Amino acid sequence: MRSRWWAIAGIAIAGLLWVNLHFTSSNAVEPSRTSNRAAAAANAAPLIINSAPKLLAVEREIGVEDVRNPFSAKSWFVQPPPTTIMAPPPPPPPSAPPLPFAFAGSLETDPGHVVFYLMQGEQSFAVTPGDAFAGQYKLEGTDNNRLVITYLPLGVKQFLPVATDF
């Protein structure tokens, strides 16, 4: 069995030596020196002339300075587009806060003279048309089962529904 391995190894070494000697000879590697080289040069000349403008364009894009000095400083900064500063929208017009009152009832003391009772939390107000109350409100009168109350700082009229007819 051992002699069989020696035989296979010897054949493999002999094959490698033959390949090495056969393919390293000088006539197998040398290019041919025939007149075909002149014909090939004549065919290649128009290609060089036609590609010259392309090479110049590439050189202009890259820049001669970049080609000569590969270690020159480069900036990758891209100028951002100009931003337009828009004026902020105008503030909304001022408005009165919601009415903090609840209608508690009314009492007609004299014919045509009605007292309205309004509640704000634990505080109550007895007001008649034309009276100012709570420091910022004025009762103007009634309109279709609603009290017309004016918010004095802005002069805005607000309506408070009531439950009874007058």
Side-chain angles (χ1 to χ4, degrees):
M1 190 73 160
R2 193 172 241 207
S3 62
R4 186 182 215 187
W5 286 108
W6 283 107
I8 293 173
I11 292 172
I13 291 173
L16 288 174
L17 288 174
W18 179 78
V19 168
N20 189 17
L21 292 175
H22 180 66
F23 287 110
T24 57
S25 65
S26 62
N27 45 352
V29 176
E30 280 186 35
S32 64
R33 298 182 187 252
T34 61
S35 63
N36 291 341
R37 186 179 275 187
N43 290 339
L47 293 177
I48 293 173
I49 292 171
N50 290 338
S51 64
K54 292 179 185 175
L55 289 175
L56 291 175
V58 170
E59 192 172 286
R60 274 188 235 123
E61 282 180 21
I62 295 173
V64 176
E65 188 65 32
D66 292 341
V67 172
R68 291 186 185 152
N69 185 3
F71 301 106
S72 63
K74 293 181 175 117
S75 174
W76 296 101
F77 177 74
V78 176
Q79 184 70 27
T83 57
T84 56
I85 299 174
M86 298 174 60
S95 62
L99 285 173
F101 306 108
F103 180 73
S106 63
L107 177 64
E108 187 172 355
T109 56
D110 293 327
H113 186 270
V114 181
V115 177
F116 297 99
Y117 295 97
L118 304 175
M119 297 290 296
Q120 180 183 15
E122 296 291 321
Q123 190 175 12
S124 65
F125 300 96
V127 292
T128 58
D131 288 349
F133 62 97
Q136 302 179 40
Y137 295 95
K138 179 180 178 183
L139 179 64
E140 298 291 335
T142 60
D143 179 32
N144 295 333
N145 293 334
R146 301 182 301 180
L147 295 178
V148 180
I149 299 173
T150 302
Y151 181 65
L152 295 175
L154 296 176
V156 177
K157 291 188 180 189
Q158 296 175 298
F159 302 97
L160 182 66
V162 293
T164 60
D165 292 330
F166 301 109

